[in-house]
Amino acid sequence: MARPVALLLVSWALTCCGVPDTRPEAAGAPAGGGRAVGAARWVRVYFVAPNGTWPVSRAASAGAGPQTALDELLAGPTRNERDRGLVTALPAGRHKVRAAATGPGTVALYLPWLVAELDGVAVNQMVCTAAAAPGIPGGRRPADVVVRVYESGVPGEPWSVRCDETGTAIPVAAPPAAR
């Protein structure tokens, strides 16, 4: 007797669940919005954690680009970010690092220092922040963006690097020589 009653209750529950027995129908556009605040965009800024560089996202205005991202990096971690253990390896003081998208998947980074004067993690912070910045034409992943580093007072060709998936600046391999 218990089994037929249980089957009756299950069939009744399935029948009354509110889902009609019909084919799929269009329900309209997918949900949108949510986290956006006004016309805000996001910049990714790389700080230093105990195990290397660590990205954080910060809201930025529409039209933000590599310079906005580098300015956020030079401003240093917020109090909340410091409370989470994030710091910067960049030299203290007011320094101006210039950054600009120069073509599809390319950013020019002008440093007021020599790379040799900096901690390697500081270089990683700047290169990865520049590579992940919005406003770089070409729609490439940050790991595919070439950052050309110009050092203060050093003439000649810039140092071309990328930010790998671990947040480390790595040299761009030279193209193979033509035979």
Side-chain angles (χ1 to χ4, degrees):
M1 179 74 172
R3 179 174 266 183
V5 171
L7 287 174
L8 180 64
L9 288 174
V10 168
S11 66
W12 176 76
L14 290 174
T15 303
C16 297
C17 70
V19 179
D21 185 20
T22 62
R23 63 181 170 23
E25 294 185 27
R35 296 183 165 234
V37 178
R41 294 186 69 175
W42 298 94
V43 294
R44 182 177 294 166
V45 179
Y46 283 77
F47 289 115
V48 182
N51 296 327
T53 56
W54 190 261
V56 298
S57 294
R58 291 189 177 173
S61 62
Q67 187 63 54
T68 304
L70 266 292
D71 290 345
E72 287 291 323
L73 174 64
L74 290 170
T78 64
R79 181 177 184 161
N80 187 25
E81 292 161 351
R82 286 190 310 271
D83 289 346
R84 291 181 10 228
L86 300 176
V87 296
T88 186
L90 293 168
R94 295 178 83 78
H95 303 284
K96 184 67 174 172
V97 174
R98 292 183 301 128
T102 56
T106 308
V107 175
L109 184 61
Y110 298 91
L111 304 181
W113 316 277
L114 296 174
V115 169
E117 298 172 344
L118 298 169
D119 185 295
V121 177
V123 175
N124 295 343
Q125 285 183 261
M126 290 184 289
V127 167
C128 292
T129 297
I136 301 171
R140 297 188 182 156
R141 300 175 319 129
D144 295 328
V145 172
V146 174
V147 179
R148 294 196 173 108
V149 180
Y150 295 85
E151 300 175 74
S152 177
V154 177
E157 291 298 311
W159 181 44
S160 293
V161 293
R162 295 181 196 269
C163 176
D164 72 6
E165 283 82 6
T166 68
T168 302
I170 58 170
V172 172
R179 292 186 179 183

